[in-house]
Amino acid sequence: MTTGIKDITRAVTAAAAMELLGARPRLLALGEPTHGEDTLLDLRNDVFRQLVEQEDYRTVAIESDCLMGLVVDEYVTSGTGTLDEVMERGFSHGFGASAANRELVRWMREYNEGRPASERLRFAGFDGPLEITGAASPRQALTALHGFLAARLASDLLPCTAETLDRLLGADDRWTHPAVMTDPARSVGRSAEAGELLLLADDLVALLEAETPHLIAATSRDDWERARLYGRTATGLLRYHYWLADTSPGRMTRLLGQRDRMMADNLLALAERGPTLVFAHNAHLQRDKSTMRMWDQPLLEWWSAGALVSARLGEEYAFLATALGTIRHRGVDTPPADSLEGFLYALPEDRCVVDGTLLAGLLGDRPPVPRKSPWFGYMPLDPAHLTGIDGVVFVKDVPQVR
């Protein structure tokens, strides 16, 4: 068995990934089974540099707030702000504290220095303005979209004024109160004001699309794309808040699905711009349905962003899932020999990438036992998903970084 696996392993490089895939995808998704380990982010950085230098990739997108990501993109493309400010204001989920993320931003800014706009690297967050504890107010996205249109179109074309939006939005803490996640009654997502805001947001997005030729000519394609991001985010947040106010058993499933739908819409927009490396949790990038147990609820199932994007892009979406041997500082020790990670752990390489379908074929006569993690923050790879994975990136040991 081990000899068979050795025959289909490659080093973890951009060239090996392209050889594995056969062609350059528009979206190359590299998943991680846990957050917060710079070893995995360093690997991502190495792969992205190689993709830039060898395969003409120009964008990296990570699982972080899409609006905050604009701060990072402004810095790497034009030097706006300082590196310290960008790391503080440009990332959600605490990702700005990562040394590997800081190194990625620093390198991208250095690479872009002195290059023409067409050759510059771009950064994007593709998550919504969401945390596990709740969602942002739609104010920033909605007012930015309205402001973009109001500055360039006749006022009688717009469905409302900025004052109307401000009145309907009210105080932001109505939207962001932490009790909303566990108490739907605290949510304003199904109020009359929220319903009117969603209709107005849809009208503003429709106007943006209808006036595309004029708006691009009057500003730039980048400005127009940013306005589209504001529109997607505004409508996505309003729909997320709508489901926060739901009291049915399907509430959490719809919330999780709405988050991944927002991710998918952002990724599809990035795919229009050019080849992009996407980095996020395996669960958001896989082609199979995502599952989760929360509190005392039945198993939740929804389609991940990767599944939604793959259905649209076909072979132009590729997914490399990362599997780990040990994270000893988290209590994740040597994997059982009869698990998928155990088979890979027997290899001599510290890091390698294996064709997912060929690996599934090799293991067919001895299906691996799903590994159980002693730590909630690490999700082992499900062997049943192998045929939907283009390549398995295996990292034998994740050291503690101090």
Side-chain angles (χ1 to χ4, degrees), residues 72-83:
V72 186
D73 191 52
E74 284 282 352
Y75 176 75
V76 300
T77 55
S78 61
T80 303
T82 68
L83 182 56

Side-chain angles (χ1 to χ4, degrees), residues 318-395:
F319 173 42
L320 306 179
T322 299
L324 301 178
T326 72
I327 324 173
R328 298 191 193 279
H329 60 281
R330 302 292 191 185
V332 181
D333 291 321
T334 304
D338 57 356
S339 67
L340 173 60
E341 289 83 357
F343 282 118
L344 296 171
Y345 200 78
L347 293 168
E349 292 85 2
D350 291 331
R351 298 177 180 182
C352 63
V353 60
V354 187
D355 184 296
T357 301
L358 293 179
L359 180 58
L362 282 174
L363 300 174
D365 58 341
R366 292 178 57 190
V369 175
R371 186 184 190 185
K372 296 186 183 299
S373 172
W375 176 50
F376 74 94
Y378 161 60
M379 185 181 296
L381 208 57
D382 186 342
H385 292 174
L386 278 177
T387 55
I389 296 172
D390 296 297
V392 176
V393 175
F394 184 69
V395 177

Side-chain angles (χ1 to χ4, degrees), residues 99-340:
N101 280 336
R102 185 183 184 90
E103 173 57 22
L104 172 68
V105 174
R106 186 207 62 77
W107 177 79
M108 291 177 70
R109 176 64 204 136
E110 182 182 272
Y111 181 94
N112 284 341
E113 190 68 40
R115 293 179 186 269
S118 61
E119 296 180 11
R120 291 175 194 158
L121 306 182
R122 303 291 300 272
F123 179 95
F126 71 94
D127 200 354
L130 308 169
E131 294 285 355
I132 192 64
T133 54
S137 163
R139 178 183 300 278
Q140 179 185 357
L142 195 51
T143 57
L145 172 62
H146 184 277
F148 175 83
L149 294 171
R152 296 161 180 85
L153 300 174
S155 60
D156 59 353
L157 289 177
L158 273 69
C160 65
T161 64
E163 291 73 22
T164 297
L165 291 181
D166 187 61
R167 174 179 58 81
L168 293 171
L169 285 162
D172 284 346
D173 59 7
R174 298 193 314 147
W175 301 90
T176 60
H177 197 287
V180 169
M181 178 53 75
T182 54
D183 183 4
R186 297 293 299 268
S187 173
V188 297
R190 295 196 177 185
S191 64
E193 293 86 353
E196 189 172 350
L197 283 169
L198 182 55
L199 290 174
L200 291 173
D202 281 337
D203 281 346
L204 289 169
V205 170
L207 181 59
L208 175 69
E209 297 296 337
E211 294 291 332
T212 291
H214 166 70
L215 293 170
I216 291 179
T219 57
S220 68
R221 180 168 291 275
D222 276 352
D223 288 340
W224 174 76
E225 286 181 350
R226 178 178 290 207
R228 291 181 73 202
L229 172 61
Y230 290 139
R232 291 193 302 274
T233 306
T235 55
L237 276 174
L238 286 163
R239 289 189 172 92
Y240 192 91
H241 281 286
Y242 177 88
W243 287 107
L244 276 172
D246 185 49
T247 57
S248 76
R251 176 177 183 260
M252 285 307 304
T253 298
R254 293 304 297 261
L255 287 172
L256 293 165
Q258 176 62 15
R259 180 188 179 193
D260 270 274
R261 180 190 166 188
M262 292 173 71
M263 288 183 170
D265 288 343
N266 286 333
L267 289 177
L268 289 168
L270 290 171
E272 292 176 12
R273 193 164 72 190
T276 299
L277 175 67
V278 182
F279 186 78
H281 199 284
N282 287 333
H284 290 303
L285 301 178
Q286 65 191 30
R287 291 186 173 93
D288 294 88
K289 269 192 170 181
S290 294
T291 60
M292 179 186 292
R293 288 196 182 276
M294 295 187 69
W295 307 311
D296 57 350
Q297 297 190 21
L299 184 70
L300 305 175
E301 295 185 319
W302 72 99
W303 288 111
S304 70
L308 296 172
V309 170
S310 181
R312 294 279 294 275
L313 295 185
E315 293 183 355
E316 291 192 285
Y317 176 78
F319 173 42
L320 306 179
T322 299
L324 301 178
T326 72
I327 324 173
R328 298 191 193 279
H329 60 281
R330 302 292 191 185
V332 181
D333 291 321
T334 304
D338 57 356
S339 67
L340 173 60

